[in-house]
Amino acid sequence: MRVLLCVLMFAACTACASGGPSVELGGRNFSVEIADTSEKQALGLMFRDSMPADQGMLFIFSAEAPRSFWMKNTRIPLDIMYFDKDLRMVSISADTPPCKVSRCPSYPSVVPAKYVLERNAGTAAELGVGLGDVLTVELD
């Protein structure tokens, strides 16, 4: 009976470890939704009233290019972190507020980016991360 219990616990832990896409930033792991199509990227985190503290959205583009995000129909404040092809942070829009007007401002990257991570506002400050920090991505 104990052996069976140990096998079941091991199987459950293994399943948890491979529970979907995640990123590591500033020594912390976060589950992420992947936005890798134009439809997913256009929708982003719109129309959501909250996001769990251990989650985020990772936008994956085919190449580095100037990126610009806006907060139209986004109801939660976000940190928008831009990363280059080597997953090094190259720009950040910290504490980006939701847009409550019809003409929303855009928040461009300072230099070209290939990846963009959106997390709850304050994440970058809480983790003490900034330009030059590296993002680790696990897509399994």
Side-chain angles (χ1 to χ4, degrees):
M1 183 68 169
R2 280 188 180 164
V3 172
L4 178 59
L5 181 60
C6 288
V7 169
L8 290 173
M9 287 176 59
F10 177 76
C13 289
T14 302
C16 291
S18 61
S22 65
V23 298
E24 186 272 323
L25 183 63
R28 294 241 329 260
N29 288 307
F30 303 98
S31 297
V32 289
E33 292 179 55
I34 301 296
D36 56 359
T37 66
S38 56
E39 294 81 14
K40 290 178 185 176
Q41 291 165 353
L43 181 61
L45 292 170
M46 289 182 178
F47 308 109
R48 299 187 191 193
D49 293 318
S50 65
M51 182 168 51
D54 63 343
Q55 292 183 11
M57 181 169 278
L58 181 65
F59 295 76
I60 302 174
F61 298 95
S62 60
E64 279 185 334
R67 304 284 170 207
S68 187
F69 280 55
W70 66 343
M71 299 291 284
K72 184 170 179 77
N73 299 318
T74 304
R75 300 174 181 158
I76 53 177
L78 298 171
D79 282 353
I80 305 170
M81 296 170 268
Y82 300 89
F83 296 85
D84 66 12
K85 64 180 175 32
D86 298 318
L87 295 165
R88 195 164 299 282
M89 190 185 301
V90 294
S91 189
I92 183 170
S93 176
D95 300 316
T96 311
C99 181
K100 298 179 189 227
V101 296
S102 60
R103 298 187 73 187
C104 299
S106 62
Y107 301 92
S109 60
V110 175
V111 298
K114 182 173 178 176
Y115 305 93
V116 178
L117 177 64
E118 290 185 336
R119 291 267 309 121
N120 286 320
T123 296
E126 176 187 325
L127 298 176
V129 297
L131 301 182
D133 285 316
V134 176
L135 181 71
T136 303
V137 177
E138 180 63 47
L139 295 177
D140 294 329

